[in-house]
Amino acid sequence: MRIYGETIASRLLLGTAQYPSPAVLQDVIRASGTGLVTVSLRRETADGAGEGFWRTLRETGARILPNTAGCHTVKEAVTTAHMAREVFATDWLKLEVIGHADTLQPDVFALVEAARILTSEGFKVFPYTTDDLVVGERLLDAGCELLMPWGAPIGSGQGLRNPDALRAMRAHFPGVPLVVDAGIGRPSDAAQAMELGMDAVLLNTAVAQAGDPAGMARAMALAVEAGRAGFDADPMDRRDLAVPSTPVLGLAELA
């Protein structure tokens, strides 16, 4: 998968929050095979208390994608992005501008505005958005080169609530990388997203809160691989009626 001119080794992307210990987080990253992990600037602090967490991530070798998690306004998101670029020394940024406290649904109006500002300043923006086609077009017009539609509310584990909308996005944006972000709860959800033609999935809670986080990370990696292989193999269309696999012609007629 190529994003912003660079190759990402794995189609499974991981968040880094809510893990019981740094050691478990490292085990999860290695078990998943991911090459890209998101991290909120809020995990780092000015007094250096976050250095242990930062060192844990560096030791895994995974690329860091800073995240404006928790931002609710354009100003807050842009300011956080500037700080993240300084702390993590990267122009890559996962952009979140939250508009609803309960569902954590993106404020798509503020999202587009913030994306336009940040791309003009040289950021490579990964926008967390809804599955709306018009919003997707506005984000691409703002300078984004990929879209990250949600599957369901963050941390809900509901899977893909509107697969038809994701299927429509794939058809409408055939050359744009699409990453399902949020809502994945089980490996079957990840496989379904990939079978729809998504280029990757980004998840966190489903792994972090599993009884065996490393085991779940490995399961998610296999599901992503299987789902993508299924999509590439051009699966059969669904049918309303049964179709016999054994030919009817040539069968003996018994009196």
Side-chain angles (χ1 to χ4, degrees), residues 53-84:
F53 177 73
W54 182 214
R55 183 170 56 252
T56 295
L57 294 182
R58 286 201 303 265
E59 290 173 354
T60 67
R63 181 165 185 161
I64 305 300
L65 179 64
N67 185 4
T68 62
C71 293
H72 291 78
T73 66
V74 172
K75 182 178 181 180
E76 188 179 10
V78 170
T79 300
T80 301
H82 290 162
M83 292 189 292

PDB file of all heavy atoms in Angstrom, residues 53-84:
ATOM      1  N   PHE A  53       7.237   6.151  27.143  1.00  0.00           N
ATOM      2  CA  PHE A  53       6.294   5.708  26.127  1.00  0.00           C
ATOM      3  C   PHE A  53       6.869   5.914  24.728  1.00  0.00           C
ATOM      4  O   PHE A  53       6.779   5.040  23.867  1.00  0.00           O
ATOM      5  CB  PHE A  53       4.986   6.475  26.279  1.00  0.00           C
ATOM      6  CG  PHE A  53       3.955   6.154  25.232  1.00  0.00           C
ATOM      7  CD1 PHE A  53       3.278   4.950  25.263  1.00  0.00           C
ATOM      8  CD2 PHE A  53       3.673   7.050  24.208  1.00  0.00           C
ATOM      9  CE1 PHE A  53       2.329   4.639  24.294  1.00  0.00           C
ATOM     10  CE2 PHE A  53       2.736   6.758  23.237  1.00  0.00           C
ATOM     11  CZ  PHE A  53       2.057   5.546  23.285  1.00  0.00           C
ATOM     12  N   TRP A  54       7.488   7.045  24.501  1.00  0.00           N
ATOM     13  CA  TRP A  54       8.094   7.365  23.206  1.00  0.00           C
ATOM     14  C   TRP A  54       9.220   6.374  22.897  1.00  0.00           C
ATOM     15  O   TRP A  54       9.362   5.891  21.780  1.00  0.00           O
ATOM     16  CB  TRP A  54       8.596   8.790  23.267  1.00  0.00           C
ATOM     17  CG  TRP A  54       9.217   9.402  22.043  1.00  0.00           C
ATOM     18  CD1 TRP A  54      10.226  10.303  22.032  1.00  0.00           C
ATOM     19  CD2 TRP A  54       8.857   9.216  20.678  1.00  0.00           C
ATOM     20  NE1 TRP A  54      10.524  10.680  20.745  1.00  0.00           N
ATOM     21  CE2 TRP A  54       9.698  10.015  19.889  1.00  0.00           C
ATOM     22  CE3 TRP A  54       7.901   8.424  20.036  1.00  0.00           C
ATOM     23  CZ2 TRP A  54       9.627  10.059  18.501  1.00  0.00           C
ATOM     24  CZ3 TRP A  54       7.828   8.453  18.643  1.00  0.00           C
ATOM     25  CH2 TRP A  54       8.680   9.267  17.903  1.00  0.00           C
ATOM     26  N   ARG A  55      10.000   6.039  23.907  1.00  0.00           N
ATOM     27  CA  ARG A  55      11.092   5.074  23.706  1.00  0.00           C
ATOM     28  C   ARG A  55      10.534   3.696  23.365  1.00  0.00           C
ATOM     29  O   ARG A  55      11.088   2.979  22.522  1.00  0.00           O
ATOM     30  CB  ARG A  55      11.954   5.004  24.961  1.00  0.00           C
ATOM     31  CG  ARG A  55      13.170   4.083  24.826  1.00  0.00           C
ATOM     32  CD  ARG A  55      14.123   4.230  25.993  1.00  0.00           C
ATOM     33  NE  ARG A  55      13.460   3.993  27.267  1.00  0.00           N
ATOM     34  CZ  ARG A  55      13.179   4.948  28.158  1.00  0.00           C
ATOM     35  NH1 ARG A  55      13.475   6.219  27.891  1.00  0.00           N
ATOM     36  NH2 ARG A  55      12.578   4.652  29.301  1.00  0.00           N
ATOM     37  N   THR A  56       9.421   3.322  23.998  1.00  0.00           N
ATOM     38  CA  THR A  56       8.781   2.035  23.710  1.00  0.00           C
ATOM     39  C   THR A  56       8.402   1.937  22.242  1.00  0.00           C
ATOM     40  O   THR A  56       8.621   0.917  21.594  1.00  0.00           O
ATOM     41  CB  THR A  56       7.522   1.869  24.580  1.00  0.00           C
ATOM     42  OG1 THR A  56       7.908   1.788  25.956  1.00  0.00           O
ATOM     43  CG2 THR A  56       6.757   0.611  24.199  1.00  0.00           C
ATOM     44  N   LEU A  57       7.849   3.005  21.694  1.00  0.00           N
ATOM     45  CA  LEU A  57       7.455   3.003  20.290  1.00  0.00           C
ATOM     46  C   LEU A  57       8.664   2.954  19.366  1.00  0.00           C
ATOM     47  O   LEU A  57       8.661   2.234  18.367  1.00  0.00           O
ATOM     48  CB  LEU A  57       6.606   4.233  19.987  1.00  0.00           C
ATOM     49  CG  LEU A  57       5.244   4.316  20.679  1.00  0.00           C
ATOM     50  CD1 LEU A  57       4.511   5.573  20.244  1.00  0.00           C
ATOM     51  CD2 LEU A  57       4.405   3.086  20.391  1.00  0.00           C
ATOM     52  N   ARG A  58       9.686   3.705  19.681  1.00  0.00           N
ATOM     53  CA  ARG A  58      10.883   3.707  18.825  1.00  0.00           C
ATOM     54  C   ARG A  58      11.504   2.323  18.746  1.00  0.00           C
ATOM     55  O   ARG A  58      12.000   1.909  17.690  1.00  0.00           O
ATOM     56  CB  ARG A  58      11.917   4.707  19.367  1.00  0.00           C
ATOM     57  CG  ARG A  58      11.569   6.162  19.132  1.00  0.00           C
ATOM     58  CD  ARG A  58      12.815   7.034  19.223  1.00  0.00           C
ATOM     59  NE  ARG A  58      13.479   6.889  20.511  1.00  0.00           N
ATOM     60  CZ  ARG A  58      13.281   7.696  21.547  1.00  0.00           C
ATOM     61  NH1 ARG A  58      12.417   8.685  21.459  1.00  0.00           N
ATOM     62  NH2 ARG A  58      13.930   7.506  22.671  1.00  0.00           N
ATOM     63  N   GLU A  59      11.473   1.588  19.844  1.00  0.00           N
ATOM     64  CA  GLU A  59      12.103   0.269  19.873  1.00  0.00           C
ATOM     65  C   GLU A  59      11.395  -0.736  18.967  1.00  0.00           C
ATOM     66  O   GLU A  59      11.996  -1.729  18.558  1.00  0.00           O
ATOM     67  CB  GLU A  59      12.138  -0.265  21.309  1.00  0.00           C
ATOM     68  CG  GLU A  59      13.115   0.492  22.201  1.00  0.00           C
ATOM     69  CD  GLU A  59      13.012   0.071  23.658  1.00  0.00           C
ATOM     70  OE1 GLU A  59      12.088  -0.728  23.980  1.00  0.00           O
ATOM     71  OE2 GLU A  59      13.832   0.524  24.471  1.00  0.00           O
ATOM     72  N   THR A  60      10.122  -0.501  18.639  1.00  0.00           N
ATOM     73  CA  THR A  60       9.398  -1.430  17.776  1.00  0.00           C
ATOM     74  C   THR A  60       9.757  -1.248  16.307  1.00  0.00           C
ATOM     75  O   THR A  60       9.533  -2.145  15.493  1.00  0.00           O
ATOM     76  CB  THR A  60       7.879  -1.246  17.916  1.00  0.00           C
ATOM     77  OG1 THR A  60       7.498   0.035  17.387  1.00  0.00           O
ATOM     78  CG2 THR A  60       7.446  -1.349  19.373  1.00  0.00           C
ATOM     79  N   GLY A  61      10.271  -0.099  15.943  1.00  0.00           N
ATOM     80  CA  GLY A  61      10.608   0.176  14.554  1.00  0.00           C
ATOM     81  C   GLY A  61       9.431   0.626  13.717  1.00  0.00           C
ATOM     82  O   GLY A  61       9.583   0.895  12.520  1.00  0.00           O
ATOM     83  N   ALA A  62       8.240   0.705  14.290  1.00  0.00           N
ATOM     84  CA  ALA A  62       7.056   1.130  13.546  1.00  0.00           C
ATOM     85  C   ALA A  62       7.095   2.642  13.315  1.00  0.00           C
ATOM     86  O   ALA A  62       7.605   3.404  14.141  1.00  0.00           O
ATOM     87  CB  ALA A  62       5.785   0.759  14.298  1.00  0.00           C
ATOM     88  N   ARG A  63       6.536   3.059  12.201  1.00  0.00           N
ATOM     89  CA  ARG A  63       6.463   4.484  11.903  1.00  0.00           C
ATOM     90  C   ARG A  63       5.373   5.129  12.752  1.00  0.00           C
ATOM     91  O   ARG A  63       4.320   4.534  12.991  1.00  0.00           O
ATOM     92  CB  ARG A  63       6.177   4.701  10.424  1.00  0.00           C
ATOM     93  CG  ARG A  63       6.105   6.167  10.036  1.00  0.00           C
ATOM     94  CD  ARG A  63       6.184   6.365   8.554  1.00  0.00           C
ATOM     95  NE  ARG A  63       6.224   7.790   8.231  1.00  0.00           N
ATOM     96  CZ  ARG A  63       6.652   8.284   7.082  1.00  0.00           C
ATOM     97  NH1 ARG A  63       7.080   7.462   6.125  1.00  0.00           N
ATOM     98  NH2 ARG A  63       6.650   9.589   6.862  1.00  0.00           N
ATOM     99  N   ILE A  64       5.627   6.352  13.196  1.00  0.00           N
ATOM    100  CA  ILE A  64       4.686   7.062  14.058  1.00  0.00           C
ATOM    101  C   ILE A  64       3.784   7.971  13.237  1.00  0.00           C
ATOM    102  O   ILE A  64       4.249   8.726  12.380  1.00  0.00           O
ATOM    103  CB  ILE A  64       5.447   7.911  15.105  1.00  0.00           C
ATOM    104  CG1 ILE A  64       6.415   7.036  15.909  1.00  0.00           C
ATOM    105  CG2 ILE A  64       4.455   8.614  16.029  1.00  0.00           C
ATOM    106  CD1 ILE A  64       5.752   5.920  16.664  1.00  0.00           C
ATOM    107  N   LEU A  65       2.486   7.878  13.499  1.00  0.00           N
ATOM    108  CA  LEU A  65       1.503   8.781  12.898  1.00  0.00           C
ATOM    109  C   LEU A  65       0.856   9.575  14.028  1.00  0.00           C
ATOM    110  O   LEU A  65      -0.046   9.071  14.715  1.00  0.00           O
ATOM    111  CB  LEU A  65       0.445   7.988  12.132  1.00  0.00           C
ATOM    112  CG  LEU A  65      -0.670   8.801  11.478  1.00  0.00           C
ATOM    113  CD1 LEU A  65      -0.111   9.718  10.393  1.00  0.00           C
ATOM    114  CD2 LEU A  65      -1.742   7.875  10.899  1.00  0.00           C
ATOM    115  N   PRO A  66       1.311  10.803  14.282  1.00  0.00           N
ATOM    116  CA  PRO A  66       0.704  11.611  15.351  1.00  0.00           C
ATOM    117  C   PRO A  66      -0.776  11.840  15.082  1.00  0.00           C
ATOM    118  O   PRO A  66      -1.222  11.884  13.925  1.00  0.00           O
ATOM    119  CB  PRO A  66       1.482  12.931  15.289  1.00  0.00           C
ATOM    120  CG  PRO A  66       2.759  12.588  14.608  1.00  0.00           C
ATOM    121  CD  PRO A  66       2.429  11.499  13.638  1.00  0.00           C
ATOM    122  N   ASN A  67      -1.527  12.016  16.156  1.00  0.00           N
ATOM    123  CA  ASN A  67      -2.980  12.071  16.084  1.00  0.00           C
ATOM    124  C   ASN A  67      -3.486  13.270  16.881  1.00  0.00           C
ATOM    125  O   ASN A  67      -3.033  13.497  18.010  1.00  0.00           O
ATOM    126  CB  ASN A  67      -3.545  10.767  16.661  1.00  0.00           C
ATOM    127  CG  ASN A  67      -5.042  10.664  16.540  1.00  0.00           C
ATOM    128  OD1 ASN A  67      -5.684  11.516  15.964  1.00  0.00           O
ATOM    129  ND2 ASN A  67      -5.594   9.606  17.097  1.00  0.00           N
ATOM    130  N   THR A  68      -4.410  14.028  16.302  1.00  0.00           N
ATOM    131  CA  THR A  68      -4.993  15.161  17.035  1.00  0.00           C
ATOM    132  C   THR A  68      -6.203  14.710  17.854  1.00  0.00           C
ATOM    133  O   THR A  68      -7.211  15.419  17.921  1.00  0.00           O
ATOM    134  CB  THR A  68      -5.405  16.295  16.077  1.00  0.00           C
ATOM    135  OG1 THR A  68      -6.415  15.815  15.182  1.00  0.00           O
ATOM    136  CG2 THR A  68      -4.217  16.795  15.286  1.00  0.00           C
ATOM    137  N   ALA A  69      -6.134  13.549  18.458  1.00  0.00           N
ATOM    138  CA  ALA A  69      -7.245  12.997  19.241  1.00  0.00           C
ATOM    139  C   ALA A  69      -7.683  13.978  20.322  1.00  0.00           C
ATOM    140  O   ALA A  69      -6.860  14.604  20.984  1.00  0.00           O
ATOM    141  CB  ALA A  69      -6.832  11.675  19.877  1.00  0.00           C
ATOM    142  N   GLY A  70      -8.996  14.091  20.487  1.00  0.00           N
ATOM    143  CA  GLY A  70      -9.544  14.935  21.544  1.00  0.00           C
ATOM    144  C   GLY A  70      -9.752  16.381  21.147  1.00  0.00           C
ATOM    145  O   GLY A  70     -10.256  17.166  21.955  1.00  0.00           O
ATOM    146  N   CYS A  71      -9.391  16.767  19.932  1.00  0.00           N
ATOM    147  CA  CYS A  71      -9.574  18.150  19.499  1.00  0.00           C
ATOM    148  C   CYS A  71     -11.007  18.354  19.001  1.00  0.00           C
ATOM    149  O   CYS A  71     -11.565  17.494  18.315  1.00  0.00           O
ATOM    150  CB  CYS A  71      -8.590  18.495  18.389  1.00  0.00           C
ATOM    151  SG  CYS A  71      -6.863  18.528  18.943  1.00  0.00           S
ATOM    152  N   HIS A  72     -11.578  19.505  19.321  1.00  0.00           N
ATOM    153  CA  HIS A  72     -12.968  19.790  18.963  1.00  0.00           C
ATOM    154  C   HIS A  72     -13.143  21.037  18.107  1.00  0.00           C
ATOM    155  O   HIS A  72     -14.263  21.339  17.696  1.00  0.00           O
ATOM    156  CB  HIS A  72     -13.816  19.936  20.231  1.00  0.00           C
ATOM    157  CG  HIS A  72     -14.011  18.664  20.981  1.00  0.00           C
ATOM    158  ND1 HIS A  72     -13.034  18.129  21.804  1.00  0.00           N
ATOM    159  CD2 HIS A  72     -15.060  17.799  21.026  1.00  0.00           C
ATOM    160  CE1 HIS A  72     -13.488  16.995  22.333  1.00  0.00           C
ATOM    161  NE2 HIS A  72     -14.695  16.780  21.870  1.00  0.00           N
ATOM    162  N   THR A  73     -12.066  21.770  17.856  1.00  0.00           N
ATOM    163  CA  THR A  73     -12.150  22.976  17.037  1.00  0.00           C
ATOM    164  C   THR A  73     -10.997  22.994  16.045  1.00  0.00           C
ATOM    165  O   THR A  73      -9.993  22.298  16.215  1.00  0.00           O
ATOM    166  CB  THR A  73     -12.074  24.255  17.891  1.00  0.00           C
ATOM    167  OG1 THR A  73     -10.761  24.348  18.486  1.00  0.00           O
ATOM    168  CG2 THR A  73     -13.128  24.250  18.987  1.00  0.00           C
ATOM    169  N   VAL A  74     -11.159  23.810  15.013  1.00  0.00           N
ATOM    170  CA  VAL A  74     -10.100  23.951  14.017  1.00  0.00           C
ATOM    171  C   VAL A  74      -8.826  24.467  14.665  1.00  0.00           C
ATOM    172  O   VAL A  74      -7.726  23.941  14.440  1.00  0.00           O
ATOM    173  CB  VAL A  74     -10.552  24.901  12.891  1.00  0.00           C
ATOM    174  CG1 VAL A  74      -9.395  25.203  11.948  1.00  0.00           C
ATOM    175  CG2 VAL A  74     -11.729  24.312  12.132  1.00  0.00           C
ATOM    176  N   LYS A  75      -8.952  25.492  15.491  1.00  0.00           N
ATOM    177  CA  LYS A  75      -7.778  26.086  16.126  1.00  0.00           C
ATOM    178  C   LYS A  75      -7.046  25.066  16.988  1.00  0.00           C
ATOM    179  O   LYS A  75      -5.803  24.985  16.955  1.00  0.00           O
ATOM    180  CB  LYS A  75      -8.203  27.293  16.973  1.00  0.00           C
ATOM    181  CG  LYS A  75      -7.025  27.995  17.643  1.00  0.00           C
ATOM    182  CD  LYS A  75      -7.483  29.208  18.430  1.00  0.00           C
ATOM    183  CE  LYS A  75      -6.289  29.918  19.087  1.00  0.00           C
ATOM    184  NZ  LYS A  75      -6.728  31.121  19.865  1.00  0.00           N
ATOM    185  N   GLU A  76      -7.799  24.297  17.761  1.00  0.00           N
ATOM    186  CA  GLU A  76      -7.182  23.307  18.631  1.00  0.00           C
ATOM    187  C   GLU A  76      -6.458  22.237  17.816  1.00  0.00           C
ATOM    188  O   GLU A  76      -5.344  21.829  18.134  1.00  0.00           O
ATOM    189  CB  GLU A  76      -8.248  22.662  19.515  1.00  0.00           C
ATOM    190  CG  GLU A  76      -7.702  21.746  20.593  1.00  0.00           C
ATOM    191  CD  GLU A  76      -8.789  21.156  21.460  1.00  0.00           C
ATOM    192  OE1 GLU A  76      -9.973  21.304  21.124  1.00  0.00           O
ATOM    193  OE2 GLU A  76      -8.437  20.539  22.490  1.00  0.00           O
ATOM    194  N   ALA A  77      -7.084  21.790  16.726  1.00  0.00           N
ATOM    195  CA  ALA A  77      -6.474  20.754  15.894  1.00  0.00           C
ATOM    196  C   ALA A  77      -5.214  21.259  15.208  1.00  0.00           C
ATOM    197  O   ALA A  77      -4.194  20.554  15.154  1.00  0.00           O
ATOM    198  CB  ALA A  77      -7.481  20.262  14.867  1.00  0.00           C
ATOM    199  N   VAL A  78      -5.251  22.467  14.676  1.00  0.00           N
ATOM    200  CA  VAL A  78      -4.093  23.021  13.980  1.00  0.00           C
ATOM    201  C   VAL A  78      -2.945  23.257  14.954  1.00  0.00           C
ATOM    202  O   VAL A  78      -1.783  22.943  14.655  1.00  0.00           O
ATOM    203  CB  VAL A  78      -4.477  24.333  13.256  1.00  0.00           C
ATOM    204  CG1 VAL A  78      -3.233  25.046  12.735  1.00  0.00           C
ATOM    205  CG2 VAL A  78      -5.439  24.034  12.114  1.00  0.00           C
ATOM    206  N   THR A  79      -3.243  23.779  16.127  1.00  0.00           N
ATOM    207  CA  THR A  79      -2.199  24.009  17.127  1.00  0.00           C
ATOM    208  C   THR A  79      -1.570  22.692  17.573  1.00  0.00           C
ATOM    209  O   THR A  79      -0.340  22.577  17.694  1.00  0.00           O
ATOM    210  CB  THR A  79      -2.787  24.734  18.354  1.00  0.00           C
ATOM    211  OG1 THR A  79      -3.335  25.988  17.948  1.00  0.00           O
ATOM    212  CG2 THR A  79      -1.706  24.978  19.406  1.00  0.00           C
ATOM    213  N   THR A  80      -2.408  21.683  17.803  1.00  0.00           N
ATOM    214  CA  THR A  80      -1.902  20.366  18.192  1.00  0.00           C
ATOM    215  C   THR A  80      -1.039  19.770  17.094  1.00  0.00           C
ATOM    216  O   THR A  80      -0.006  19.139  17.363  1.00  0.00           O
ATOM    217  CB  THR A  80      -3.075  19.422  18.517  1.00  0.00           C
ATOM    218  OG1 THR A  80      -3.848  19.988  19.581  1.00  0.00           O
ATOM    219  CG2 THR A  80      -2.565  18.050  18.943  1.00  0.00           C
ATOM    220  N   ALA A  81      -1.439  19.964  15.842  1.00  0.00           N
ATOM    221  CA  ALA A  81      -0.660  19.453  14.716  1.00  0.00           C
ATOM    222  C   ALA A  81       0.729  20.081  14.678  1.00  0.00           C
ATOM    223  O   ALA A  81       1.736  19.393  14.443  1.00  0.00           O
ATOM    224  CB  ALA A  81      -1.399  19.722  13.409  1.00  0.00           C
ATOM    225  N   HIS A  82       0.813  21.368  14.914  1.00  0.00           N
ATOM    226  CA  HIS A  82       2.113  22.043  14.918  1.00  0.00           C
ATOM    227  C   HIS A  82       3.009  21.486  16.025  1.00  0.00           C
ATOM    228  O   HIS A  82       4.209  21.249  15.795  1.00  0.00           O
ATOM    229  CB  HIS A  82       1.911  23.547  15.114  1.00  0.00           C
ATOM    230  CG  HIS A  82       1.293  24.225  13.943  1.00  0.00           C
ATOM    231  ND1 HIS A  82       0.694  25.465  14.027  1.00  0.00           N
ATOM    232  CD2 HIS A  82       1.166  23.843  12.646  1.00  0.00           C
ATOM    233  CE1 HIS A  82       0.235  25.810  12.839  1.00  0.00           C
ATOM    234  NE2 HIS A  82       0.510  24.844  11.994  1.00  0.00           N
ATOM    235  N   MET A  83       2.448  21.267  17.191  1.00  0.00           N
ATOM    236  CA  MET A  83       3.237  20.707  18.290  1.00  0.00           C
ATOM    237  C   MET A  83       3.665  19.279  17.986  1.00  0.00           C
ATOM    238  O   MET A  83       4.792  18.875  18.282  1.00  0.00           O
ATOM    239  CB  MET A  83       2.436  20.774  19.590  1.00  0.00           C
ATOM    240  CG  MET A  83       2.201  22.184  20.097  1.00  0.00           C
ATOM    241  SD  MET A  83       1.474  22.240  21.759  1.00  0.00           S
ATOM    242  CE  MET A  83      -0.164  21.562  21.427  1.00  0.00           C
ATOM    243  N   ALA A  84       2.764  18.511  17.374  1.00  0.00           N
ATOM    244  CA  ALA A  84       3.074  17.121  17.048  1.00  0.00           C
ATOM    245  C   ALA A  84       4.214  17.034  16.042  1.00  0.00           C
ATOM    246  O   ALA A  84       5.085  16.159  16.146  1.00  0.00           O
ATOM    247  CB  ALA A  84       1.839  16.416  16.508  1.00  0.00           C
TER     248      ALA A  84
END
